[in-house]
Amino acid sequence: MFERAFVGRAAELAALTTTFTGPDAPWLLLVDGPAGIGKSRLIAEFIGAARCRVLVVTSAEDAQSQPHYLADDIVEQLDEGAGDASAAAPKTSGVTPDSRDPADLVRHVRRALGAVETLLVVDDAQWADLESVRLLAFLIRNRPARGFRLLLCFRDGGCPPSIARSVRAPRVRTVHVRVPPFTEADVDGLLPGEEPDRRARLFAASHGNPLYLTLLADLPDRELDRALQGEEPDPASNDFAALDRTIRAELAQLPDTERLVAQAIAVCGLPPDLELLCSTADLAEGAVVAAVDGLVRRGVVSIGDGAVTFAHPLIRTAAYRLSGQGWRALAHRRAALALRARGASMPSRARHLEHTLLGADEIAGAELRLAAAQVLADAPAASARWLSAAARIAPATDDPLAAALALGRAQLLSGAAARAVETLEPAAATAGRHQLEALLLSARCARMLGRVDQARTLLAHGATLPRRPGDGPVQLELAILEMQDRQDSEGQARLTALFDSDAIDDPAVRAAATALRCLGLLADARIAEAAQLYDPCGRAFGLLTDTVLREVVHAAPAFGWCAYFLDRDADGLHHLDRAIAVSRRFGRTYALAELHTVRAYSLAKLGRLHDAIAAADEATDAATTFGYPDLVSFAGALKLRTLQLTAPPAAVTTQWHTVSALTRPTVRWWRQVVETTLTEVGRTLDLPACAPPPQNGRPGPLTPTHLSRAARAAIATGDLAAAADLVARAEAAAAATSHAVHLGEHSVATVRITPGGDLGSQVGAAALARAEYAAATGEVAVAAAAAEAAVAAFARAGMVVNRAQAELIAGVIAGRCGDFGRATSRFASARAVFLATGATRLLDEVTTEQRRLAGAQRVGPPAALTRREREVAELAANGHTNKAIAEHLCLSPRTVEDHLSRVLRKLGLAGRAGIARKLGELDVAESAG
């Protein structure tokens, strides 16, 4: 932990510093608040602003029993500073509790404090010894001099009674500052380098307490999650150095019984009742009650709803780590036995049993296995730990393969794919009722680990095994893996058999199987058939409860990709967000990497560029955590393409090298996306030539986009012959998903909404390629029409950035045709989108084109306006909005905008302000003529 900025205490600091405005200002300053709230930091800032002699003494609980110890500190500081403060200052040397009467002591201290203007600060005054408290009370009742100020800092409820009485004495002018928790704005100032989402999470978790906030901020995400979710702290972790220096050190100073009870509360975990706490601490009821009362007074714990809880999870972590490992193991055993005696739930017993020093114990082993089965769906990591503990103390002898299968399943669900493969190996190699599921789980592990050949071998073996009643989810898993590996015919055959079986009656299986069938149709470019399945599939997923959805949450990415390919991204994001929440809630974290990846691609497509980068980072983190290398590079490619629009070239280059160094995905279309992205972005960065990936020739939902990008690359290099072929092929592929109309000799795909679906994304890509090709060959009319078709198509798909890119090109073409009004309008619209989405590179492009357009326009006398332009100009001069003008003239707002742009150009104006004056000049000129 390091020193952070002083924030959030301006009002409190001002309340203290205003006491220096004059001798009649308040002179007794009281500062209080809970532990860690920042009292000492506030005082340090106040002392730094003081323009007088400052004496600072700090109380300590372990010295509370020593008479006069705080007074001795005051005397020593007076002795050390007397010579420097004033030649007339009286010496206090020899004034000690042992050498003179206490009354004599306080008189001499009072005289020394009043010799020069002095600020006496007493920190942690709640721990002051009795004799020193009497000294402080005397100084309050008998102010040493008008220039003397006393600041007492103490915890909530810690003001000594005698001082509280003295505060009410006559002529005692007081300022009482209670230090409040931080606000969210304060946290933003304290932790400016944190990501906004993590900063908000830290704020909520810290309860606004600066100490807890800084301790939590210093923890890695793994330990932060453990601390906030109430999991057992890892005693061996090295991530708690700052916590050990603060909270743990303070707890170590507690009286023995209070410290022991605090450790027992930490071991109990869930808020314990008195009976369980007594059993865990191995203390009598009276001793526990007294210790709890002491902990409550100190603000360590609180009592509510019949249970004892720590003031903050970090205090529990510190108390848990404070106890020795041997004592902790025995305390967990005592808690487990007490819970067993009262018939508590199996999970509540298991969380203690896993930490005890157990030998062979059949009863504990059975309890651990039952508990593991109960929490598998919600907490697979805990399930895996408990099954491992059960295998250690009571190995299963009746069905060891079933035990191995259960442990392997739990390990996989918790993201430990490498360990799961080893655990599952015996069951996968042994014929019997467990073999098919063991092979399936092993194949999924191998796929996550990037071992595609191993996964393929395991699947091939599993495909030869006979189907059994109730194995619908297993057959579904096999279909997912087969289709990911592009074994589409095998996957579709398996889905067909699944739809013909009783297993399809399961709503979860039906929803997932429908999503896979829809994705298979899209892979074959059967867009209309896929579109017909999409809505029923979405309704099926929507009807699943969270507890049912968790069983097929790994199929949610397939549905997300269907939404992406069918331009239903907004709807797909709704389902993806729900699947992510379910995965987190029920411990299905292994699915997060692909869910976040699909989400990132959809966000980028919709122009939510910064959200897309954040989602790609989350996908990368999850894929790295769970050993899923395919998704690391696949998500990295999306981030690279998005950074190309939003970040400086140096950042884009760094990301390009990062992705380039990664292993290519084994899933074929993921690999193609990664390699294509590296090629296209590398070309714009002038990086070493990257060979474009070979096209497999198979049609797919993104074929028009791929062909269009290739065509635009060919145009950029001047290979117009290749570009012509690619554009024609892109248009043909796009037309296969929609109706087409013809402009001149060239077909420009446009879309009407039909039952077969409207792939505006693909139509727009093809039209944009046609626009650039036609512009390069001088066919400006065709180019203009194609650019406008691209604008409309991208708008239908909700692709705001792509639409703005098409508007930019449409503006360039309009400028070449001399239609400066339309060009200006298109540039303005594109610029607004690029500003809103953070597409800074494209913003630079539109600025360049606007300047080029301005330079191409001749400046001359006002040109004559058409009748319609005159009508628009007069209404605009009278202050009417575009919308009002459109309603008055029965025009569309866009038409009004175009007319107004031409008016401004003809009149030589940059805005509406001069229209009335220019119209007057035109009238004068026309009359003179």
Side-chain angles (χ1 to χ4, degrees), residues 125-129 133 136 152 154 157-167:
Q126 71 274 3
W127 305 131
D129 64 277
V133 168
L136 296 173
L152 300 178
F154 45 84
C159 183
S162 59
I163 291 180
R165 289 192 298 271
S166 300
V167 168

Side-chain angles (χ1 to χ4, degrees), residues 27-121:
W27 59 273
L28 177 60
L29 317 178
L30 305 176
V31 177
D32 71 345
I37 203 65
K39 302 184 294 296
S40 297
R41 184 67 188 276
L42 172 63
I43 292 170
E45 291 291 322
F46 172 56
I47 290 172
R51 295 181 297 275
C52 64
R53 178 175 66 171
V54 178
L55 306 178
V56 181
V57 294
T58 303
S59 306
E61 184 178 8
D62 57 356
Q64 193 173 14
S65 60
Q66 302 174 22
H68 299 285
Y69 86 93
L70 198 61
D72 288 347
D73 285 349
I74 296 173
V75 169
E76 288 180 9
Q77 291 198 39
L78 286 170
D79 283 346
E80 292 172 359
D84 297 332
S86 171
K91 302 289 185 179
T92 57
S93 298
V95 179
T96 68
D98 297 329
S99 64
R100 60 173 65 240
D101 183 77
D104 195 24
L105 169 68
V106 297
R107 284 195 300 271
H108 281 274
V109 169
R110 179 173 179 268
R111 186 180 305 114
L113 289 172
V116 296
E117 187 177 0
T118 301
L119 169 65
L120 173 60
V121 177

Side-chain angles (χ1 to χ4, degrees), residues 561 592-602 615-616 619-620 623 631-632 634-635 638 670:
W561 285 122
L592 288 175
E594 190 168 358
L595 286 167
H596 279 302
T597 300
V598 188
R599 185 171 181 270
Y601 274 84
S602 290
T620 299
L631 286 175
V632 175
F634 191 38
L638 181 278
W670 294 1

